[in-house]
Amino acid sequence: MRSRRWSRSGDTRDTLLRAARDVFLAKGYADATVADIVAASGISVGSLYHHFGGKPGLFLALWEQFTRGQEERTARAAKAAGDSAERFLAGARAYLEGSWEQREVARLFLENDGPAEFGTLRRQRGWNWIGGNRRLLGLDGSRESQVLVVLLTTMMGEAGREVAACESGLDAAVTIDEVIRLVRRLLPTSSGVAEPTP
């Protein structure tokens, strides 16, 4: 009995998340209403508030789902690569490919549309991402290393936005290849010096 109840609860959450995703993509966060999401899902208002606390909770749950998927994708790719620079590049490529594959949702989260707390949470996740990239690259705590990792992380975030905005798969592939080429030039080699500019 209990497992069936948990299964129904999970199904309700999934249905609400799918409906919220569709409504947010169609209308944007600001113009979407709880009534729109309830109508699209067929789930009661009470269930929506029980599971997510309202429209902001749904948006943030979708963002967490998207972000977690991107983190898992990049971690798998990085784990399969060689040295620290190649791990970073493999993770960067996986992140950008995920931005294209999930472009509709990526566009939603890359805009400034969202609940008030979204900006703060996104900034915190950005700082966590910077710290993770510093560790992945094996950089020390020097100011130079901090500048490099902030630039690389910011570059990847903006590149994700650019890839998500591409009109075609070919444009996305060209953009991803160019970003990886440019990032490779910034990365320190085993000698500690970035590759020379061709």
Side-chain angles (χ1 to χ4, degrees), residues 103-138:
R103 59 193 168 276
E104 290 179 339
V105 176
R107 289 176 193 155
L108 177 67
F109 299 132
L110 293 170
E111 300 303 320
N112 290 323
D113 193 20
E117 59 270 34
F118 182 52
T120 302
L121 290 172
R122 194 164 52 176
R123 279 190 298 280
Q124 180 59 52
R125 183 65 60 99
W127 285 112
N128 292 344
W129 192 16
I130 287 168
N133 285 339
R134 185 179 61 75
R135 288 186 297 279
L136 178 64
L137 288 166

PDB file of all heavy atoms in Angstrom, residues 103-138:
ATOM      1  N   ARG A 103      17.621  22.604 -25.303  1.00  0.00           N
ATOM      2  CA  ARG A 103      17.653  24.038 -25.606  1.00  0.00           C
ATOM      3  C   ARG A 103      16.421  24.812 -25.157  1.00  0.00           C
ATOM      4  O   ARG A 103      16.533  25.944 -24.708  1.00  0.00           O
ATOM      5  CB  ARG A 103      17.929  24.282 -27.085  1.00  0.00           C
ATOM      6  CG  ARG A 103      16.943  23.672 -28.050  1.00  0.00           C
ATOM      7  CD  ARG A 103      17.496  23.704 -29.490  1.00  0.00           C
ATOM      8  NE  ARG A 103      16.722  22.901 -30.401  1.00  0.00           N
ATOM      9  CZ  ARG A 103      16.861  21.593 -30.575  1.00  0.00           C
ATOM     10  NH1 ARG A 103      17.733  20.928 -29.842  1.00  0.00           N
ATOM     11  NH2 ARG A 103      16.125  20.950 -31.446  1.00  0.00           N
ATOM     12  N   GLU A 104      15.239  24.215 -25.264  1.00  0.00           N
ATOM     13  CA  GLU A 104      14.049  24.969 -24.849  1.00  0.00           C
ATOM     14  C   GLU A 104      14.100  25.283 -23.356  1.00  0.00           C
ATOM     15  O   GLU A 104      13.873  26.411 -22.942  1.00  0.00           O
ATOM     16  CB  GLU A 104      12.785  24.179 -25.196  1.00  0.00           C
ATOM     17  CG  GLU A 104      12.522  24.097 -26.686  1.00  0.00           C
ATOM     18  CD  GLU A 104      11.272  23.288 -26.984  1.00  0.00           C
ATOM     19  OE1 GLU A 104      10.855  22.487 -26.124  1.00  0.00           O
ATOM     20  OE2 GLU A 104      10.722  23.469 -28.076  1.00  0.00           O
ATOM     21  N   VAL A 105      14.414  24.281 -22.563  1.00  0.00           N
ATOM     22  CA  VAL A 105      14.490  24.481 -21.118  1.00  0.00           C
ATOM     23  C   VAL A 105      15.690  25.354 -20.778  1.00  0.00           C
ATOM     24  O   VAL A 105      15.602  26.236 -19.918  1.00  0.00           O
ATOM     25  CB  VAL A 105      14.556  23.117 -20.387  1.00  0.00           C
ATOM     26  CG1 VAL A 105      14.722  23.301 -18.899  1.00  0.00           C
ATOM     27  CG2 VAL A 105      13.315  22.317 -20.679  1.00  0.00           C
ATOM     28  N   ALA A 106      16.816  25.140 -21.468  1.00  0.00           N
ATOM     29  CA  ALA A 106      18.001  25.958 -21.218  1.00  0.00           C
ATOM     30  C   ALA A 106      17.691  27.431 -21.459  1.00  0.00           C
ATOM     31  O   ALA A 106      18.089  28.292 -20.673  1.00  0.00           O
ATOM     32  CB  ALA A 106      19.157  25.498 -22.104  1.00  0.00           C
ATOM     33  N   ARG A 107      16.982  27.726 -22.530  1.00  0.00           N
ATOM     34  CA  ARG A 107      16.619  29.126 -22.824  1.00  0.00           C
ATOM     35  C   ARG A 107      15.779  29.705 -21.695  1.00  0.00           C
ATOM     36  O   ARG A 107      15.949  30.860 -21.305  1.00  0.00           O
ATOM     37  CB  ARG A 107      15.846  29.207 -24.135  1.00  0.00           C
ATOM     38  CG  ARG A 107      16.672  28.958 -25.355  1.00  0.00           C
ATOM     39  CD  ARG A 107      15.801  28.953 -26.598  1.00  0.00           C
ATOM     40  NE  ARG A 107      16.527  28.422 -27.745  1.00  0.00           N
ATOM     41  CZ  ARG A 107      15.960  27.866 -28.790  1.00  0.00           C
ATOM     42  NH1 ARG A 107      14.647  27.753 -28.861  1.00  0.00           N
ATOM     43  NH2 ARG A 107      16.682  27.419 -29.787  1.00  0.00           N
ATOM     44  N   LEU A 108      14.858  28.905 -21.181  1.00  0.00           N
ATOM     45  CA  LEU A 108      14.002  29.355 -20.085  1.00  0.00           C
ATOM     46  C   LEU A 108      14.843  29.774 -18.884  1.00  0.00           C
ATOM     47  O   LEU A 108      14.626  30.830 -18.294  1.00  0.00           O
ATOM     48  CB  LEU A 108      13.039  28.230 -19.692  1.00  0.00           C
ATOM     49  CG  LEU A 108      12.111  28.482 -18.508  1.00  0.00           C
ATOM     50  CD1 LEU A 108      11.103  29.570 -18.840  1.00  0.00           C
ATOM     51  CD2 LEU A 108      11.404  27.190 -18.127  1.00  0.00           C
ATOM     52  N   PHE A 109      15.850  28.970 -18.541  1.00  0.00           N
ATOM     53  CA  PHE A 109      16.642  29.254 -17.347  1.00  0.00           C
ATOM     54  C   PHE A 109      17.741  30.270 -17.602  1.00  0.00           C
ATOM     55  O   PHE A 109      18.279  30.838 -16.663  1.00  0.00           O
ATOM     56  CB  PHE A 109      17.233  27.965 -16.791  1.00  0.00           C
ATOM     57  CG  PHE A 109      16.178  26.982 -16.377  1.00  0.00           C
ATOM     58  CD1 PHE A 109      16.248  25.668 -16.776  1.00  0.00           C
ATOM     59  CD2 PHE A 109      15.109  27.385 -15.599  1.00  0.00           C
ATOM     60  CE1 PHE A 109      15.263  24.763 -16.399  1.00  0.00           C
ATOM     61  CE2 PHE A 109      14.113  26.498 -15.221  1.00  0.00           C
ATOM     62  CZ  PHE A 109      14.199  25.182 -15.626  1.00  0.00           C
ATOM     63  N   LEU A 110      18.097  30.508 -18.840  1.00  0.00           N
ATOM     64  CA  LEU A 110      19.141  31.484 -19.143  1.00  0.00           C
ATOM     65  C   LEU A 110      18.593  32.902 -19.247  1.00  0.00           C
ATOM     66  O   LEU A 110      19.344  33.860 -19.276  1.00  0.00           O
ATOM     67  CB  LEU A 110      19.876  31.096 -20.432  1.00  0.00           C
ATOM     68  CG  LEU A 110      20.702  29.811 -20.308  1.00  0.00           C
ATOM     69  CD1 LEU A 110      21.201  29.359 -21.669  1.00  0.00           C
ATOM     70  CD2 LEU A 110      21.857  29.998 -19.353  1.00  0.00           C
ATOM     71  N   GLU A 111      17.289  33.023 -19.316  1.00  0.00           N
ATOM     72  CA  GLU A 111      16.662  34.341 -19.299  1.00  0.00           C
ATOM     73  C   GLU A 111      16.581  34.826 -17.850  1.00  0.00           C
ATOM     74  O   GLU A 111      16.813  34.077 -16.921  1.00  0.00           O
ATOM     75  CB  GLU A 111      15.262  34.275 -19.918  1.00  0.00           C
ATOM     76  CG  GLU A 111      15.259  33.810 -21.362  1.00  0.00           C
ATOM     77  CD  GLU A 111      16.125  34.670 -22.272  1.00  0.00           C
ATOM     78  OE1 GLU A 111      16.129  35.904 -22.109  1.00  0.00           O
ATOM     79  OE2 GLU A 111      16.804  34.101 -23.137  1.00  0.00           O
ATOM     80  N   ASN A 112      16.221  36.070 -17.671  1.00  0.00           N
ATOM     81  CA  ASN A 112      16.107  36.613 -16.312  1.00  0.00           C
ATOM     82  C   ASN A 112      14.694  36.484 -15.765  1.00  0.00           C
ATOM     83  O   ASN A 112      14.329  37.159 -14.827  1.00  0.00           O
ATOM     84  CB  ASN A 112      16.557  38.080 -16.300  1.00  0.00           C
ATOM     85  CG  ASN A 112      18.044  38.199 -16.502  1.00  0.00           C
ATOM     86  OD1 ASN A 112      18.813  37.386 -16.011  1.00  0.00           O
ATOM     87  ND2 ASN A 112      18.465  39.193 -17.250  1.00  0.00           N
ATOM     88  N   ASP A 113      13.911  35.603 -16.376  1.00  0.00           N
ATOM     89  CA  ASP A 113      12.536  35.365 -15.964  1.00  0.00           C
ATOM     90  C   ASP A 113      12.540  34.243 -14.938  1.00  0.00           C
ATOM     91  O   ASP A 113      13.114  33.182 -15.171  1.00  0.00           O
ATOM     92  CB  ASP A 113      11.724  34.959 -17.211  1.00  0.00           C
ATOM     93  CG  ASP A 113      10.234  34.979 -16.974  1.00  0.00           C
ATOM     94  OD1 ASP A 113       9.793  35.638 -16.016  1.00  0.00           O
ATOM     95  OD2 ASP A 113       9.509  34.332 -17.752  1.00  0.00           O
ATOM     96  N   GLY A 114      11.946  34.462 -13.810  1.00  0.00           N
ATOM     97  CA  GLY A 114      11.897  33.425 -12.778  1.00  0.00           C
ATOM     98  C   GLY A 114      11.506  34.049 -11.454  1.00  0.00           C
ATOM     99  O   GLY A 114      11.377  35.273 -11.349  1.00  0.00           O
ATOM    100  N   PRO A 115      11.339  33.242 -10.425  1.00  0.00           N
ATOM    101  CA  PRO A 115      10.985  33.787  -9.119  1.00  0.00           C
ATOM    102  C   PRO A 115      12.120  34.620  -8.542  1.00  0.00           C
ATOM    103  O   PRO A 115      13.277  34.503  -8.963  1.00  0.00           O
ATOM    104  CB  PRO A 115      10.719  32.538  -8.269  1.00  0.00           C
ATOM    105  CG  PRO A 115      11.385  31.415  -8.977  1.00  0.00           C
ATOM    106  CD  PRO A 115      11.456  31.786 -10.427  1.00  0.00           C
ATOM    107  N   ALA A 116      11.806  35.430  -7.562  1.00  0.00           N
ATOM    108  CA  ALA A 116      12.775  36.363  -6.985  1.00  0.00           C
ATOM    109  C   ALA A 116      14.027  35.657  -6.491  1.00  0.00           C
ATOM    110  O   ALA A 116      15.147  36.144  -6.697  1.00  0.00           O
ATOM    111  CB  ALA A 116      12.123  37.136  -5.842  1.00  0.00           C
ATOM    112  N   GLU A 117      13.882  34.496  -5.876  1.00  0.00           N
ATOM    113  CA  GLU A 117      15.040  33.800  -5.298  1.00  0.00           C
ATOM    114  C   GLU A 117      15.899  33.092  -6.350  1.00  0.00           C
ATOM    115  O   GLU A 117      16.994  32.621  -6.042  1.00  0.00           O
ATOM    116  CB  GLU A 117      14.606  32.819  -4.214  1.00  0.00           C
ATOM    117  CG  GLU A 117      13.655  31.739  -4.669  1.00  0.00           C
ATOM    118  CD  GLU A 117      12.175  32.094  -4.554  1.00  0.00           C
ATOM    119  OE1 GLU A 117      11.811  33.260  -4.742  1.00  0.00           O
ATOM    120  OE2 GLU A 117      11.387  31.182  -4.289  1.00  0.00           O
ATOM    121  N   PHE A 118      15.429  33.045  -7.590  1.00  0.00           N
ATOM    122  CA  PHE A 118      16.154  32.322  -8.628  1.00  0.00           C
ATOM    123  C   PHE A 118      17.532  32.931  -8.887  1.00  0.00           C
ATOM    124  O   PHE A 118      18.520  32.219  -9.026  1.00  0.00           O
ATOM    125  CB  PHE A 118      15.335  32.278  -9.920  1.00  0.00           C
ATOM    126  CG  PHE A 118      15.983  31.524 -11.035  1.00  0.00           C
ATOM    127  CD1 PHE A 118      16.445  30.235 -10.852  1.00  0.00           C
ATOM    128  CD2 PHE A 118      16.135  32.103 -12.283  1.00  0.00           C
ATOM    129  CE1 PHE A 118      17.034  29.520 -11.886  1.00  0.00           C
ATOM    130  CE2 PHE A 118      16.722  31.398 -13.326  1.00  0.00           C
ATOM    131  CZ  PHE A 118      17.179  30.110 -13.121  1.00  0.00           C
ATOM    132  N   GLY A 119      17.622  34.241  -8.931  1.00  0.00           N
ATOM    133  CA  GLY A 119      18.904  34.907  -9.171  1.00  0.00           C
ATOM    134  C   GLY A 119      19.934  34.553  -8.107  1.00  0.00           C
ATOM    135  O   GLY A 119      21.092  34.261  -8.420  1.00  0.00           O
ATOM    136  N   THR A 120      19.513  34.548  -6.858  1.00  0.00           N
ATOM    137  CA  THR A 120      20.418  34.209  -5.761  1.00  0.00           C
ATOM    138  C   THR A 120      20.875  32.763  -5.855  1.00  0.00           C
ATOM    139  O   THR A 120      22.062  32.457  -5.716  1.00  0.00           O
ATOM    140  CB  THR A 120      19.722  34.450  -4.407  1.00  0.00           C
ATOM    141  OG1 THR A 120      19.325  35.818  -4.338  1.00  0.00           O
ATOM    142  CG2 THR A 120      20.630  34.115  -3.246  1.00  0.00           C
ATOM    143  N   LEU A 121      19.942  31.859  -6.116  1.00  0.00           N
ATOM    144  CA  LEU A 121      20.290  30.441  -6.236  1.00  0.00           C
ATOM    145  C   LEU A 121      21.207  30.198  -7.431  1.00  0.00           C
ATOM    146  O   LEU A 121      22.152  29.414  -7.349  1.00  0.00           O
ATOM    147  CB  LEU A 121      19.028  29.594  -6.373  1.00  0.00           C
ATOM    148  CG  LEU A 121      18.170  29.507  -5.115  1.00  0.00           C
ATOM    149  CD1 LEU A 121      16.849  28.809  -5.417  1.00  0.00           C
ATOM    150  CD2 LEU A 121      18.909  28.786  -4.001  1.00  0.00           C
ATOM    151  N   ARG A 122      20.958  30.893  -8.525  1.00  0.00           N
ATOM    152  CA  ARG A 122      21.794  30.730  -9.717  1.00  0.00           C
ATOM    153  C   ARG A 122      23.211  31.239  -9.456  1.00  0.00           C
ATOM    154  O   ARG A 122      24.183  30.624  -9.867  1.00  0.00           O
ATOM    155  CB  ARG A 122      21.149  31.463 -10.899  1.00  0.00           C
ATOM    156  CG  ARG A 122      21.737  31.075 -12.223  1.00  0.00           C
ATOM    157  CD  ARG A 122      20.884  31.475 -13.380  1.00  0.00           C
ATOM    158  NE  ARG A 122      20.506  32.863 -13.343  1.00  0.00           N
ATOM    159  CZ  ARG A 122      19.817  33.453 -14.306  1.00  0.00           C
ATOM    160  NH1 ARG A 122      19.436  32.793 -15.363  1.00  0.00           N
ATOM    161  NH2 ARG A 122      19.502  34.722 -14.215  1.00  0.00           N
ATOM    162  N   ARG A 123      23.328  32.359  -8.743  1.00  0.00           N
ATOM    163  CA  ARG A 123      24.662  32.869  -8.396  1.00  0.00           C
ATOM    164  C   ARG A 123      25.404  31.891  -7.488  1.00  0.00           C
ATOM    165  O   ARG A 123      26.588  31.638  -7.684  1.00  0.00           O
ATOM    166  CB  ARG A 123      24.561  34.246  -7.731  1.00  0.00           C
ATOM    167  CG  ARG A 123      24.392  35.387  -8.718  1.00  0.00           C
ATOM    168  CD  ARG A 123      24.533  36.739  -8.054  1.00  0.00           C
ATOM    169  NE  ARG A 123      23.531  36.976  -7.030  1.00  0.00           N
ATOM    170  CZ  ARG A 123      22.287  37.367  -7.272  1.00  0.00           C
ATOM    171  NH1 ARG A 123      21.895  37.570  -8.516  1.00  0.00           N
ATOM    172  NH2 ARG A 123      21.442  37.571  -6.299  1.00  0.00           N
ATOM    173  N   GLN A 124      24.693  31.328  -6.500  1.00  0.00           N
ATOM    174  CA  GLN A 124      25.324  30.358  -5.601  1.00  0.00           C
ATOM    175  C   GLN A 124      25.794  29.132  -6.374  1.00  0.00           C
ATOM    176  O   GLN A 124      26.898  28.636  -6.170  1.00  0.00           O
ATOM    177  CB  GLN A 124      24.353  29.942  -4.495  1.00  0.00           C
ATOM    178  CG  GLN A 124      24.947  28.944  -3.518  1.00  0.00           C
ATOM    179  CD  GLN A 124      26.186  29.475  -2.823  1.00  0.00           C
ATOM    180  OE1 GLN A 124      26.167  30.564  -2.266  1.00  0.00           O
ATOM    181  NE2 GLN A 124      27.280  28.721  -2.861  1.00  0.00           N
ATOM    182  N   ARG A 125      24.953  28.645  -7.293  1.00  0.00           N
ATOM    183  CA  ARG A 125      25.343  27.494  -8.108  1.00  0.00           C
ATOM    184  C   ARG A 125      26.549  27.855  -8.966  1.00  0.00           C
ATOM    185  O   ARG A 125      27.441  27.042  -9.178  1.00  0.00           O
ATOM    186  CB  ARG A 125      24.162  27.068  -8.985  1.00  0.00           C
ATOM    187  CG  ARG A 125      24.381  25.842  -9.830  1.00  0.00           C
ATOM    188  CD  ARG A 125      24.575  24.563  -9.022  1.00  0.00           C
ATOM    189  NE  ARG A 125      23.482  24.220  -8.182  1.00  0.00           N
ATOM    190  CZ  ARG A 125      22.538  23.339  -8.462  1.00  0.00           C
ATOM    191  NH1 ARG A 125      22.552  22.707  -9.594  1.00  0.00           N
ATOM    192  NH2 ARG A 125      21.583  23.078  -7.602  1.00  0.00           N
ATOM    193  N   GLY A 126      26.602  29.101  -9.448  1.00  0.00           N
ATOM    194  CA  GLY A 126      27.751  29.552 -10.239  1.00  0.00           C
ATOM    195  C   GLY A 126      29.044  29.508  -9.437  1.00  0.00           C
ATOM    196  O   GLY A 126      30.082  29.063  -9.936  1.00  0.00           O
ATOM    197  N   TRP A 127      28.989  29.945  -8.182  1.00  0.00           N
ATOM    198  CA  TRP A 127      30.189  29.894  -7.342  1.00  0.00           C
ATOM    199  C   TRP A 127      30.598  28.456  -7.057  1.00  0.00           C
ATOM    200  O   TRP A 127      31.784  28.116  -7.039  1.00  0.00           O
ATOM    201  CB  TRP A 127      29.978  30.675  -6.047  1.00  0.00           C
ATOM    202  CG  TRP A 127      30.045  32.147  -6.292  1.00  0.00           C
ATOM    203  CD1 TRP A 127      29.019  33.047  -6.201  1.00  0.00           C
ATOM    204  CD2 TRP A 127      31.192  32.895  -6.708  1.00  0.00           C
ATOM    205  NE1 TRP A 127      29.467  34.301  -6.549  1.00  0.00           N
ATOM    206  CE2 TRP A 127      30.787  34.244  -6.859  1.00  0.00           C
ATOM    207  CE3 TRP A 127      32.510  32.556  -6.988  1.00  0.00           C
ATOM    208  CZ2 TRP A 127      31.658  35.250  -7.262  1.00  0.00           C
ATOM    209  CZ3 TRP A 127      33.387  33.567  -7.399  1.00  0.00           C
ATOM    210  CH2 TRP A 127      32.960  34.885  -7.521  1.00  0.00           C
ATOM    211  N   ASN A 128      29.605  27.589  -6.874  1.00  0.00           N
ATOM    212  CA  ASN A 128      29.917  26.166  -6.686  1.00  0.00           C
ATOM    213  C   ASN A 128      30.563  25.592  -7.947  1.00  0.00           C
ATOM    214  O   ASN A 128      31.487  24.782  -7.869  1.00  0.00           O
ATOM    215  CB  ASN A 128      28.652  25.379  -6.353  1.00  0.00           C
ATOM    216  CG  ASN A 128      28.086  25.737  -4.996  1.00  0.00           C
ATOM    217  OD1 ASN A 128      28.755  26.338  -4.166  1.00  0.00           O
ATOM    218  ND2 ASN A 128      26.833  25.398  -4.775  1.00  0.00           N
ATOM    219  N   TRP A 129      30.083  26.007  -9.097  1.00  0.00           N
ATOM    220  CA  TRP A 129      30.609  25.548 -10.383  1.00  0.00           C
ATOM    221  C   TRP A 129      32.067  26.011 -10.541  1.00  0.00           C
ATOM    222  O   TRP A 129      32.926  25.250 -10.973  1.00  0.00           O
ATOM    223  CB  TRP A 129      29.725  26.088 -11.495  1.00  0.00           C
ATOM    224  CG  TRP A 129      29.934  25.515 -12.865  1.00  0.00           C
ATOM    225  CD1 TRP A 129      30.591  24.363 -13.198  1.00  0.00           C
ATOM    226  CD2 TRP A 129      29.481  26.077 -14.091  1.00  0.00           C
ATOM    227  NE1 TRP A 129      30.558  24.174 -14.564  1.00  0.00           N
ATOM    228  CE2 TRP A 129      29.884  25.218 -15.134  1.00  0.00           C
ATOM    229  CE3 TRP A 129      28.761  27.222 -14.415  1.00  0.00           C
ATOM    230  CZ2 TRP A 129      29.605  25.470 -16.467  1.00  0.00           C
ATOM    231  CZ3 TRP A 129      28.471  27.472 -15.737  1.00  0.00           C
ATOM    232  CH2 TRP A 129      28.893  26.606 -16.751  1.00  0.00           C
ATOM    233  N   ILE A 130      32.331  27.250 -10.153  1.00  0.00           N
ATOM    234  CA  ILE A 130      33.698  27.776 -10.215  1.00  0.00           C
ATOM    235  C   ILE A 130      34.624  26.933  -9.336  1.00  0.00           C
ATOM    236  O   ILE A 130      35.712  26.534  -9.756  1.00  0.00           O
ATOM    237  CB  ILE A 130      33.727  29.267  -9.808  1.00  0.00           C
ATOM    238  CG1 ILE A 130      33.115  30.128 -10.926  1.00  0.00           C
ATOM    239  CG2 ILE A 130      35.146  29.727  -9.475  1.00  0.00           C
ATOM    240  CD1 ILE A 130      32.836  31.563 -10.527  1.00  0.00           C
ATOM    241  N   GLY A 131      34.188  26.640  -8.114  1.00  0.00           N
ATOM    242  CA  GLY A 131      35.003  25.821  -7.216  1.00  0.00           C
ATOM    243  C   GLY A 131      35.246  24.429  -7.774  1.00  0.00           C
ATOM    244  O   GLY A 131      36.364  23.895  -7.702  1.00  0.00           O
ATOM    245  N   GLY A 132      34.213  23.833  -8.354  1.00  0.00           N
ATOM    246  CA  GLY A 132      34.362  22.516  -8.960  1.00  0.00           C
ATOM    247  C   GLY A 132      35.327  22.536 -10.131  1.00  0.00           C
ATOM    248  O   GLY A 132      36.150  21.620 -10.298  1.00  0.00           O
ATOM    249  N   ASN A 133      35.251  23.576 -10.947  1.00  0.00           N
ATOM    250  CA  ASN A 133      36.161  23.689 -12.089  1.00  0.00           C
ATOM    251  C   ASN A 133      37.604  23.898 -11.630  1.00  0.00           C
ATOM    252  O   ASN A 133      38.536  23.359 -12.230  1.00  0.00           O
ATOM    253  CB  ASN A 133      35.732  24.822 -13.017  1.00  0.00           C
ATOM    254  CG  ASN A 133      34.526  24.449 -13.847  1.00  0.00           C
ATOM    255  OD1 ASN A 133      34.223  23.274 -14.038  1.00  0.00           O
ATOM    256  ND2 ASN A 133      33.823  25.444 -14.350  1.00  0.00           N
ATOM    257  N   ARG A 134      37.792  24.656 -10.562  1.00  0.00           N
ATOM    258  CA  ARG A 134      39.148  24.859 -10.033  1.00  0.00           C
ATOM    259  C   ARG A 134      39.745  23.530  -9.593  1.00  0.00           C
ATOM    260  O   ARG A 134      40.886  23.210  -9.906  1.00  0.00           O
ATOM    261  CB  ARG A 134      39.128  25.851  -8.872  1.00  0.00           C
ATOM    262  CG  ARG A 134      40.531  26.200  -8.362  1.00  0.00           C
ATOM    263  CD  ARG A 134      40.502  27.202  -7.234  1.00  0.00           C
ATOM    264  NE  ARG A 134      39.794  26.739  -6.076  1.00  0.00           N
ATOM    265  CZ  ARG A 134      40.264  25.843  -5.196  1.00  0.00           C
ATOM    266  NH1 ARG A 134      41.449  25.305  -5.377  1.00  0.00           N
ATOM    267  NH2 ARG A 134      39.556  25.486  -4.153  1.00  0.00           N
ATOM    268  N   ARG A 135      38.930  22.729  -8.890  1.00  0.00           N
ATOM    269  CA  ARG A 135      39.416  21.409  -8.456  1.00  0.00           C
ATOM    270  C   ARG A 135      39.658  20.488  -9.644  1.00  0.00           C
ATOM    271  O   ARG A 135      40.661  19.781  -9.692  1.00  0.00           O
ATOM    272  CB  ARG A 135      38.422  20.783  -7.477  1.00  0.00           C
ATOM    273  CG  ARG A 135      38.414  21.455  -6.113  1.00  0.00           C
ATOM    274  CD  ARG A 135      37.528  20.733  -5.120  1.00  0.00           C
ATOM    275  NE  ARG A 135      36.123  20.718  -5.492  1.00  0.00           N
ATOM    276  CZ  ARG A 135      35.274  21.722  -5.295  1.00  0.00           C
ATOM    277  NH1 ARG A 135      35.686  22.841  -4.717  1.00  0.00           N
ATOM    278  NH2 ARG A 135      34.012  21.623  -5.648  1.00  0.00           N
ATOM    279  N   LEU A 136      38.745  20.509 -10.616  1.00  0.00           N
ATOM    280  CA  LEU A 136      38.893  19.655 -11.799  1.00  0.00           C
ATOM    281  C   LEU A 136      40.183  19.968 -12.545  1.00  0.00           C
ATOM    282  O   LEU A 136      40.891  19.069 -12.998  1.00  0.00           O
ATOM    283  CB  LEU A 136      37.691  19.850 -12.736  1.00  0.00           C
ATOM    284  CG  LEU A 136      37.709  19.072 -14.052  1.00  0.00           C
ATOM    285  CD1 LEU A 136      37.670  17.576 -13.791  1.00  0.00           C
ATOM    286  CD2 LEU A 136      36.544  19.489 -14.926  1.00  0.00           C
ATOM    287  N   LEU A 137      40.506  21.249 -12.654  1.00  0.00           N
ATOM    288  CA  LEU A 137      41.721  21.662 -13.359  1.00  0.00           C
ATOM    289  C   LEU A 137      42.976  21.542 -12.495  1.00  0.00           C
ATOM    290  O   LEU A 137      44.086  21.739 -12.981  1.00  0.00           O
ATOM    291  CB  LEU A 137      41.569  23.089 -13.865  1.00  0.00           C
ATOM    292  CG  LEU A 137      40.612  23.250 -15.045  1.00  0.00           C
ATOM    293  CD1 LEU A 137      40.256  24.708 -15.256  1.00  0.00           C
ATOM    294  CD2 LEU A 137      41.203  22.636 -16.306  1.00  0.00           C
ATOM    295  N   GLY A 138      42.806  21.241 -11.221  1.00  0.00           N
ATOM    296  CA  GLY A 138      43.959  21.102 -10.334  1.00  0.00           C
ATOM    297  C   GLY A 138      44.671  22.419 -10.102  1.00  0.00           C
ATOM    298  O   GLY A 138      45.889  22.444  -9.905  1.00  0.00           O
TER     299      GLY A 138
END
